[in-house]
């Protein structure tokens, strides 16, 4: 009973946190006349390194294609769109991007009430941490662009996983995630693999590299991340199993 009440409390508070800030997105963005969204939407070959200046020319087309039912935040707009292009089935899914102190850089959660609607009518929130205290975490804005794409790709993979579960199964998953370290690691490993299989393996590596080797996060925080997510070696091993990465080997 305590576990259920705790989960319900967290879900209810997420409803309060999930009130979107105004995005203040620019009315007009630069457009490359030679760009074909159909090609970008069918990403099948992984890219080792995304540079913001290279992706910027695609921003308007991606925004036009994916803005339906989305509440993007301007500061994270471009990496949000690039990562989302790897998940075309989320094109019409309701996703809010909300700044909040989540104690981790990014977190994707379904909104409680939407779990009891049809799966296609659910609403999801991606929380972006804006209040890291001391060295206990890492701000999203401090990650390199390539790693930002990887982090958001991981959160979209969570949404893919949620979308395949019933409402009750998602609630049970939440209970296990809160109280079982083994279940938590199992889920995060599964979600890492979803992102890798979509073509974001290099970006997953970039995220892991920054957290463990290039950030000022505490040793405690890094140890926690090591226990929860795939290691660099495990990411590479799974990439080796995916035909998508054959050309880049």
């Amino acid at each position: 009973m305590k576990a259920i009440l705790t989960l319900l409390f967290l879900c209810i508070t997420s409803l309060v946190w999930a009130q979107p800030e105004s995005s203040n997105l620019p009315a007009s963005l630069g457009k490359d006349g030679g760009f074909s969204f159909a090609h970008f939407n069918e990403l099948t070959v992984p890219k080792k390194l995304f540079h913001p200046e290279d992706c910027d020319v695609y921003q308007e087309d991606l925004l036009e294609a994916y803005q339906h039912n989305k509440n993007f935040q301007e500061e994270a707009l471009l990496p949000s769109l690039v990562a989302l292009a790897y998940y075309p089935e989320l094109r019409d899914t309701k996703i809010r991007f909300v700044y909040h102190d989540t104690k981790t850089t990014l977190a994707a959660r379904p909104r409680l009430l939407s779990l009891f609607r049809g799966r296609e009518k659910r609403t999801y929130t991606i929380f972006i941490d804006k209040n890291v205290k001391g060295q206990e975490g890492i701000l999203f804005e401090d990650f390199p662009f390539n790693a930002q794409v990887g982090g958001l790709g991981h959160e979209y993979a969570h949404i893919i996983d949620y979308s395949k579960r019933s409402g009750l199964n998602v609630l049970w998953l939440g209970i296990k995630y809160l109280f079982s370290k083994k279940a938590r690691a199992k889920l995060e490993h599964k979600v890492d693999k979803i992102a890798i299989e979509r073509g974001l393996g290099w970006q997953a590596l970039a995220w892991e590299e920054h957290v463990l080797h290039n950030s000022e996060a505490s040793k405690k925080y890094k140890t926690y991340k090591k226990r929860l997510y795939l290691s660099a070696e495990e990411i590479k091993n799974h990439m080796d199993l995916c035909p998508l990465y054959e050309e880049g080997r």
Side-chain angles (χ1 to χ4, degrees), residues 23-33 35 52 55-67 72-79 81-82:
S23 295
N24 298 319
L25 295 178
S28 178
L29 301 169
K31 183 178 178 66
D32 178 8
F35 171 71
C55 297
D56 189 61
V57 294
Y58 303 142
Q59 182 168 284
E60 184 177 357
D61 293 272
L62 288 170
L63 183 60
E64 181 179 354
Y66 282 100
Q67 65 184 341
F72 294 110
Q73 294 296 333
E74 183 176 0
E75 295 89 340
L77 175 60
L78 188 55
L81 289 169
V82 172

Side-chain angles (χ1 to χ4, degrees), residues 154-200:
H154 177 90
E155 300 310 318
Y156 293 139
H158 268 295
I159 293 176
I160 292 294
D161 180 65
Y162 292 142
S163 70
K164 295 179 180 179
R165 299 175 183 268
S166 67
L168 288 177
N169 186 263
V170 173
L171 289 174
W172 176 236
L173 179 71
I175 293 173
K176 291 192 295 182
Y177 194 94
L178 284 172
F179 298 101
S180 170
K181 293 180 180 179
K182 183 177 180 180
R184 193 180 309 163
K186 181 179 179 180
L187 175 63
E188 295 299 348
H189 284 197
K190 176 184 178 181
V191 169
D192 274 340
K193 290 177 180 179
I194 292 173
I196 293 168
E197 290 162 9
R198 288 303 178 104
L200 291 170

